[in-house]
C-alpha cells in the first residue's frame, strides 16, 4: 500500500507487513498504510481474516518520537492516531496482530485496536510514554484496562516498564503465545477465528467494573514518590481512571487533553532530549561506523574491591568470561563474597533465576596470579587510586598482555597519559571510568589519552553498549567530565554553610530541585576522607590566596568521615537517617570567624544558583577545552552517573531553559562578590549569551 506498509495474501488471509526499520516506528505514512491495507482487505471478497505484523526484528515500537519536536515547535500539527485505530477496530473482518520484538506505546495501542493478538514468547509489550514525560495518546489508557484490568493498566501506564509475552497472555492483553515462526502462528490462528464474530476491544467493558478506588490512590502516592517532579505519571493514572467513569469516546477525549498538556511540558522536552541524547553520545565525530573494532571475547579485572567486583559482574552479565585478580587471598575471597551476595539478592528479588546466577558466577575466575592474562582481549585495572601503583601494574601488563589487548584503567581522576607512559603501547591504553556501584550505575566515562587509537575508542564505545552502559567519551583532564564539574558544585555547597546556610537548607534546596540527594549528603555518602586525601595529594597545585572550603577538612581531622563514620556534614542514626550535626555548624562559624566571613541568612535561590551555575560554568569550560564533545554529552553524564533529574534534561539543558543571558548575569554577580578565581564566566557562555543562543546550538569543535 506504500513503501512503508505492504499488503500480501496467503489464500484467504491478508498479511499487512510494516517495513520501517529499524524499529517500525509509526512514522508518517505508516498509520496511513495500515489503514489503507485494512480497507483494501475488507473490500476483497477472497479475504476472510487479516494479519498485521512488523517486518524485521520487531512489531511497532511506538510513535515516531522525532515528530514530537515538530508538533511542539508548531512546525506541524499533531497527527492524532486514535481515529486511524478506530478504522482498524471497525474492520468487519477480524484483525489478528502478530507481535514479536516489542509492541511499545503506539505499537501496543495499535495492537489493542486489533481484535486478537498473538505474541512471540520472547516479545515484550508496554506503554513507556511516561518515561518521555507524556502518556499514551492513542486510546492506550482506554483499551488497556479493558484487556488487562484496571490495576495493571494503571501500573503499566504510570510506571512505563514493559511486560513479558507470558504475562501479556496471562493478563488478557494477548490471546496466544507463539513459539517458533510468529507469522505462521498468526496465520494459523487467523484461520481458526476467521468465521467468529468480531468483538471490538472498546466494547469489552467487563473488566472496568467494581474497581477499588484504592488502586488509584495508591498509584498516585507511588508516583509522587518515584516520579517526583513528573506530572505525566499522575496524568496517566487520571486517564485510566476516566476509563472506569466515562464512555470510550469521552475517555479518549479526556486522554487527548492530558496528552497535549504533557507533550508541551518542559519535563517532556527534557525526557525526549535525554532519550535521543543517550544515542547521540555513541556517535563520535571522526570515528564512524566503518572504524575497525577489536572483538572482546574475554576479560580480566585487576582488583576485587567494590569497583573491581562490580566491573567483573558487568562482564559476566554480558556473557564474557572474566578473570578477577587480587594480591591476597582474603581480599579475593571478600570480593567474590560480595559478588555472590549481589547476585543472590537479584535472585531473591526475582530478577533472574538461580541457574542464571550460577552461569554468571561460572564466568568469573578468581585468582592471585597473572595466569591467562596473555590471552584476554581487555584488562581493566581497578586498584587503589595511586599513580605509582597504577604505573607499576600497567608496566607489568605491557610485558604480559597480547598486542591487541586493550589496557583500561578505572581511575576516576588520574591522568591517562601518565598511566599510558608506563607502557610501550599508549595507543592501546584508555580510561573506563565506571560509577559505583559499577554493576548498577549505567554511566561509563570512556577517557581517551592523547595516543589512544580510534579503534580502541570505537571498541570501548561498542563494549559499553554490550555491558548495558551508557558510554560517554571524555578527554583527559583531572576529573574528566563528571568529577571535574562536581568540584565547583561541591565547593559552593560548602562555601554556603561557611557563609550562613545550614547543611539541611543546602541539601533540601538541591533535593527539591530534583537531585536524588543534596551535595553535602552525597559527600557524606561517598566519604569525606576520599576528598580529603585527594586535596592533600593536590594541595601543592592550589593557587595561593584563593579561598578553599575548610569545614570538610576539620570534620576529617576529627574522624567525621561521613555516613560510614556515623557523622560528617550531618549525623546519621542507625538507619542512616541524617540529623543536624552541631559540630559542622560550630566548624562553619569558626571558619567564618577566622576568615572574616560575615555570616547571613541565604535564600534558596542563591543556594540553587551558586551550586548549579558553578556546575554549568565548568561544563562550558569543558566544551571549550574539548574534554566534552557536546553539551548533550555532559547532560548524559549527569543523568546517568550523578542522580541529576532526567526531567530537567541535564545541567546544560537546564541552563538553556533558564536562558544563558540570565545565567551569565548571575555568574557575573557571583564574580563581583567572590572574585574571578572562583567565578570567571566561561567565554563560551559570554559568547552564546551575547549572540542570544543556547548550548543546544553549540556544534562540537572536534
Ligand atoms: N521513534 C523514533 N526513533 C526511534 C524510536 C521511536 N519511537 N525508537 C527508537 N528509535 C531510534 C533510536 O533513536 C535509534 O536511532 C534507533 O531507532 C535504534 O534504537 C502514540 C505517543 C524500541 C526498545 O518510547 O525504547 O508511542 O541512534 O538504539 O537498543 O501514544 O529504541 O540509530 O539514529 O534504542 O534495540 C513510545 C522508544 C513512543 C520506545 C529498541 N515508544 N524506543 O532499542 O535500539 S511515544 C517508546 C526504545 C508513543 C503513543 C505514544 C528502544 C527500543 P539511531 P535503539 P534498541
Amino acid at each position: 500500500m506504500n513503501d512503508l506498509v505492504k499488503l500480501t495474501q496467503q489464500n484467504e488471509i491478508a498479511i499487512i507487513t510494516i517495513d520501517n526499520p529499524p524499529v517500525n516506528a509509526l512514522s508518517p505514512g505508516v498509520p496511513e498504510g495500515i489503514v489503507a491495507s485494512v480497507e483494501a482487505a475488507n473490500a476483497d471478497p477472497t479475504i476472510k481474516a487479516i494479519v498485521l505484523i512488523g517486518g524485521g526484528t520487531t512489531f511497532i515500537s511506538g510513535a515516531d518520537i522525532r515528530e514530537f519536536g515538530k508538533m511542539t515547535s508548531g512546525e506541524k500539527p499533531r497527527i492524532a492516531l486514535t481515529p486511524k485505530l478506530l478504522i482498524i477496530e471497525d474492520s468487519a473482518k477480524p484483525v489478528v496482530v502478530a507481535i514479536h520484538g516489542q509492541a511499545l506505546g503506539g505499537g501496543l495501542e495499535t495492537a489493542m485496536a486489533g481484535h486478537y493478538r498473538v505474541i512471540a514468547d520472547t516479545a515484550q509489550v508496554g506503554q513507556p510514554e511516561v518515561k518521555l514525560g507524556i502518556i499514551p495518546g492513542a486510546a492506550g489508557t482506554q483499551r488497556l484496562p479493558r484487556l488487562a484490568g484496571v490495576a495493571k493498566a494503571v501500573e503499566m501506564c504510570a510506571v512505563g516498564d514493559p511486560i513479558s509475552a507470558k504475562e501479556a497472555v496471562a493478563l488478557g492483553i494477548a490471546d496466544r503465545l507463539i513459539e517458533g515462526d510468529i507469522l505462521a502462528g498468526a496465520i494459523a490462528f487467523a484461520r481458526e477465528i476467521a468465521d467468529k464474530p468480531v468483538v471490538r476491544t472498546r466494547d469489552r467493558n467487563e473488566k472496568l467494573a467494581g474497581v477499588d478506588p484504592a488502586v488509584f490512590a495508591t498509584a498516585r502516592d507511588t508516583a509522587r514518590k518515584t516520579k517526583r517532579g513528573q506530572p505525566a505519571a499522575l496524568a496517566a493514572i487520571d486517564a485510566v481512571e476516566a476509563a472506569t467513569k466515562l464512555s470510550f469516546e469521552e475517555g479518549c477525549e479526556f486522554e487527548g487533553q492530558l496528552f497535549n498538556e504533557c507533550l508541551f511540558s518542559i519535563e517532556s522536552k527534557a525526557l525526549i532530549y535525554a532519550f535521543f541524547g543517550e544515542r547521540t553520545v555513541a556517535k563520535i565525530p571522526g570515528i564512524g561506523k566503518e572504524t575497525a573494532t577489536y572483538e572482546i571475547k574475554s576479560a580480566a579485572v585487576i582488583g576485587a574491591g567494590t569497583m573491581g567486583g562490580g566491573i567483573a559482574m558487568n562482564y559476566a552479565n554480558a556473557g564474557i568470561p572474566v578473570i578477577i585478580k587480587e594480591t591476597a587471598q582474603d581480599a579475593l575471597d571478600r570480593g567474590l563474597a560480595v559478588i555472590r551476595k549481589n547476585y543472590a539478592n537479584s535472585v531473591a528479588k526475582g530478577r533472574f533465576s538461580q541457574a542464571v546466577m550460577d552461569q554468571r558466577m561460572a564466568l568469573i575466575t578468581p585468582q592471585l596470579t597473572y595466569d591467562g592474562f596473555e590471552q584476554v582481549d581487555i584488562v581493566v585495572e581497578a586498584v587503589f587510586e595511586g599513580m605509582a601503583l597504577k604505573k607499576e601494574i600497567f608496566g607489568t601488563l605491557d610485558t604480559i598482555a597480547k598486542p591487541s589487548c586493550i589496557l583500561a584503567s578505572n581511575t576516576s581522576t588520574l591522568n591517562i597519559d601518565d598511566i599510558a607512559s608506563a607502557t610501550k603501547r599508549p595507543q592501546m591504553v584508555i580510561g573506563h571510568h565506571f560509577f559505583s556501584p559499577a554493576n548498577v550505575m549505567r554511566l561509563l566515562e570512556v577517557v581517551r589519552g592523547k595516543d589512544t587509537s580510534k579503534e580502541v575508542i570505537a571498541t570501548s564505545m561498542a563494549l559499553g553498549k554490550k555491558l548495558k552502559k551508557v558510554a560517554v567519551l571524555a578527554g583527559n583532564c583531572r576529573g574528566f567530565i563528571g568529577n571535574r564539574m562536581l568540584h565547583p558544585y561541591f565547593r559552593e555547597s560548602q562555601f554556603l554553610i561557611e557563609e550562613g546556610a545550614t547543611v539541611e537548607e543546602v541539601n533540601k534546596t538541591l533535593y527539591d530541585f530534583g537531585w536524588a540527594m543534596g551535595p553535602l549528603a552525597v559527600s557524606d555518602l561517598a566519604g569525606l576522607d576520599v576528598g580529603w586525601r585527594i586535596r592533600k595529594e593536590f594541595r601543592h597545585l592550589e593557587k595561593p590566596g584563593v579561598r578553599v572550603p575548610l569545614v570538610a577538612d576539620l570534620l576529617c581531622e576529627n574522624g567525621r568521615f561521613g555516613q560510614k563514620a556515623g557523622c560528617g556534614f550531618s549525623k546519621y542514626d542507625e538507619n542512616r537517617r541524617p540529623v543536624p550535626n552541631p559540630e559542622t555548624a560550630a566548624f562553619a562559624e569558626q571558619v567564618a570567624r577566622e576568615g572574616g566571613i560575615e555570616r547571613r541568612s541565604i535564600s534558596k535561590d542563591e543556594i540553587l544558583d551558586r551550586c548549579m551555575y558553578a556546575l554549568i560554568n565548568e561544563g562550558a569550560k569543558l566544551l571549550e577545552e574539548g574534554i566534552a564533545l557536546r553539551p548533550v554529552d555532559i547532560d548524559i553524564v549527569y543523568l546517568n552517573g550523578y542522580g541529576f533529574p532526567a526531567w530537567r534534561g541535564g545541567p546544560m539543558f537546564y541552563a538553556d531553559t533558564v536562558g544563558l543571558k540570565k545565567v551569565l548575569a548571575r555568574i557575573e554577580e557571583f564574580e563581583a562578590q567572590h572574585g574571578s578565581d572562583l567565578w570567571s564566566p566561561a567565554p563560551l557562555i559570554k559568547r552564546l549569551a551575547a549572540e542570544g543562543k543556547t548550548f543546544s546550538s553549540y556544534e562540537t569543535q572536534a
Side-chain angles (χ1 to χ4, degrees), residues 175-319:
D175 302 283
R176 180 173 294 174
L177 204 64
I178 303 288
E179 287 168 8
D181 183 331
I182 181 70
L183 178 57
I187 291 169
F189 185 91
R191 289 202 167 102
E192 282 177 38
I193 55 88
D195 299 326
K196 288 189 177 175
V198 166
V199 177
R200 302 180 310 184
T201 305
R202 67 177 186 266
D203 298 328
R204 296 170 57 174
N205 298 318
E206 60 278 8
K207 290 189 178 181
L208 298 180
V211 178
D212 178 353
V215 161
F216 306 112
T218 307
R220 289 186 174 105
D221 286 347
T222 304
R224 287 190 189 98
K225 292 190 188 92
T226 58
K227 300 270 186 183
R228 199 158 50 98
Q230 300 170 61
L234 295 171
I237 297 165
D238 293 347
V240 175
E241 185 176 27
T244 65
K245 297 190 160 89
L246 306 175
S247 70
F248 179 80
E249 290 70 20
E250 290 164 335
C252 288
E253 178 66 29
F254 183 61
E255 176 197 78
Q257 290 162 14
L258 293 173
F259 175 86
N260 276 328
E261 283 167 25
C262 293
L263 181 62
F264 283 83
S265 68
I266 281 280
E267 291 82 7
S268 176
K269 288 185 181 65
L271 288 164
I272 291 171
Y273 165 81
F275 172 83
F276 286 118
E278 274 191 27
R279 292 149 180 87
T280 302
V281 299
K283 296 163 183 145
I284 312 298
I287 303 182
K289 286 196 165 100
E290 73 289 347
T291 306
T293 55
Y294 294 91
E295 202 175 0
I296 304 295
K297 291 183 292 184
S298 60
V301 174
I302 301 179
T306 309
M307 293 307 289
I311 294 168
M313 288 176 71
N314 288 328
Y315 280 92
N317 296 347

Side-chain angles (χ1 to χ4, degrees), residues 332-381:
L332 189 60
D333 294 345
R334 272 199 307 277
L336 263 292
V338 170
I339 291 172
R340 199 170 288 109
K341 180 167 71 65
N342 287 338
Y343 278 142
N345 286 345
S346 294
V347 172
K349 288 174 185 165
R351 289 213 185 101
F352 46 71
S353 66
Q354 182 62 47
V356 168
M357 171 176 168
D358 296 342
Q359 283 162 10
R360 293 182 183 179
M361 286 305 296
L363 286 170
I364 299 173
T365 305
Q367 62 188 56
L368 300 176
T369 68
Y370 279 110
D371 291 354
F373 274 62
E374 72 286 352
Q375 290 165 14
V376 298
D377 301 314
I378 185 169
V379 180
V380 186
E381 166 272 311

